[in-house]
Amino acid sequence: MVNAATLLKIVSPLCFFSIGLYAPLKAQDSAGITRAVKWNLQTCVAYAKKNNAQINSLRLSQLTSQQEYLLARAARLPDLSGSASQYLAHGNDYSNNGTGGSGFTSSGSYGLSSSVTLYNGNYVNNNIRQKNLYVQSANLNIIQQENDITLQITQAYLTVLVDKENIIYNTDLVNTSKAQVALAQKKYKAESVARKDLIQLQAQQAADQYTLVNFRNAERSDLLTLKQILLLNSGVGFDIIKPESIQFSDSVTSFQDVEQFALKTRPEVQNGQLNVHIAELETAKARAGYKPSLSGGAALNSGYNSGQEAGYPGQLKNNFNQQVGLTLTIPIFNKGVVKTQVEEAKIAVTQARLDLSNTRIVLSQAVERAYINVENAISQYMAAQEGYQYSKESYRIAAELLRVGAANTVDFLLQKNLFVQAQQAFIQASYNQLLSRKIYDFYRGIPITL
């Protein structure tokens, strides 16, 4: 039996885990040597952020957005292109005196040209600003996915901790049941205990053993779930580090403070605001179709023909010419294309604002739910702790009475079942209040650590 001080030390108030540890379990390294990993929560989260497929996919999208931003900025620069053509021709050649003949002639032309957009309704500048917002949005998408995977791993991690705690206490119950059966067997041989009492204790021992096996199976299953979330290889042995204690506090930050902080800082809200700005810039880009555009251009050209008297260098010099000019394009009628594009962009702005409003509502509801969960978990924990303490003492007294023969087996087993129920409720409440508090604190910007 574990005394009250030891029990409360194991299950009462949760403190933070120490920083990531790696300890042996079963994993294959590059040399084929079998080793193991045993991680705390911080290590699990850090590994997931680095290796999660969805997060890495978003990182690739972010790189794509950066390239599109660089391309948009490059639109301000003039372009430059060169051209060269060379021809070989064969045909009849008549001289001035009327004699005819045939032969080959060659010719070539060479040039450089450049153009630059001087004005197009501010389309280029708006496009650059929009692409920059897409980069920021991509960064926020990564942060949001990291937040989601953090909460998912935390919940899975604490589920395994509950399993481990139940295994500890139920192992103690099984050992106690074995000792009680052994004592009852001695008394039965001495004919001081009825056979039905011995059988009842043996049945209870079997039931305790069955419960213990179920908790061990649950631990294996929940460890597998966490391992799969982390995307660890199937051949890797994996376990988690158990905290030394559970920290409990009945103080809760006010809902209004956490809500306002979350609405200002959470990536989903910031992303919604960016989407509104992106849609507004798309409208400005569409309106550029109503405005004239002005571009400048320049060209250098030269060429030669073997049929002319001047030689190749001379022809290139004589045929060299330069051009520079401006081109003004004024839209007059475009079959309603620009108008349709503008109207569709306006609809997108309205949709983005609606999405932002909905995101704020959903986030506020999530924060409020987290706040209620914390308050409920605190009251549940305090009630479960009180019930556990009384049930533990009642069970201790009943066990002692059974040992000295002052209580019957039925009353003892009833008290034991009540104690087991109270114990499991206390364990569940301990970790439930921890999970609820960690989630609530996460909304106010506190990283999840154990």
Side-chain angles (χ1 to χ4, degrees), residues 178-302:
K178 289 179 179 179
Q180 290 169 343
V181 169
L183 179 61
Q185 286 174 334
K186 292 180 181 180
K187 291 183 176 182
Y188 175 70
K189 291 179 181 179
E191 298 183 352
S192 60
V193 169
R195 186 169 182 272
K196 70 177 182 63
D197 293 331
L198 173 60
I199 292 176
Q200 288 176 335
L201 290 174
Q202 289 174 330
Q204 183 61 48
Q205 177 188 341
D208 292 342
Q209 185 67 44
Y210 177 80
T211 301
L212 178 59
V213 169
N214 283 342
F215 280 124
R216 285 174 175 166
N217 291 341
E219 181 196 25
R220 291 181 59 190
S221 177
D222 293 333
L223 270 174
L224 177 61
T225 299
L226 178 57
K227 180 179 174 180
Q228 291 174 342
I229 294 174
L230 294 171
L231 300 179
L232 289 174
N233 187 280
S234 59
V236 174
F238 175 71
D239 200 357
I240 66 172
I241 298 174
K242 201 174 159 293
E244 295 180 358
S245 61
I246 300 176
Q247 194 173 48
F248 172 77
S249 173
D250 57 359
S251 63
V252 183
T253 306
S254 68
F255 162 68
Q256 289 77 12
D257 291 342
V258 177
E259 180 189 35
Q260 291 304 312
F261 182 87
L263 290 175
K264 290 179 181 179
T265 61
R266 291 286 293 187
E268 52 265 44
V269 175
Q270 294 179 351
N271 220 342
Q273 294 170 340
L274 287 181
N275 288 334
V276 172
H277 296 326
I278 289 172
E280 290 173 343
L281 287 172
E282 188 65 32
T283 303
K285 287 168 58 179
R287 286 200 175 102
Y290 288 128
K291 301 176 182 178
S293 62
L294 179 65
S295 61
L300 302 174
N301 297 286
S302 186

Side-chain angles (χ1 to χ4, degrees), residues 32 36 83 112 170 183 194 218 231 247 278 283 315 342 386 395 444:
S83 64
L112 287 175
N170 280 274
L183 179 61
L231 300 179
Q247 194 173 48
I278 289 172
T283 303
Q315 289 189 46
V342 171
E386 184 178 9
Y395 172 63
R444 62 190 186 104

Side-chain angles (χ1 to χ4, degrees), residues 258 261-262 265-266 438-448:
V258 177
F261 182 87
T265 61
R266 291 286 293 187
K438 292 301 178 183
I439 293 176
Y440 187 60
D441 288 343
F442 196 57
Y443 282 115
R444 62 190 186 104
I446 300 178
I448 295 180

Side-chain angles (χ1 to χ4, degrees), residues 1 15 26 68-69 90 111 120 123 125 161 189 194 197 203 223 315 345 370 379 386 395 425 430 444:
M1 286 289 294
C15 75
K26 282 184 184 175
E68 292 177 350
Y69 170 64
H90 178 271
N120 63 349
Y123 180 94
N125 291 333
L161 288 181
K189 291 179 181 179
D197 293 331
L223 270 174
Q315 289 189 46
S379 59
E386 184 178 9
Y395 172 63
S430 298
R444 62 190 186 104

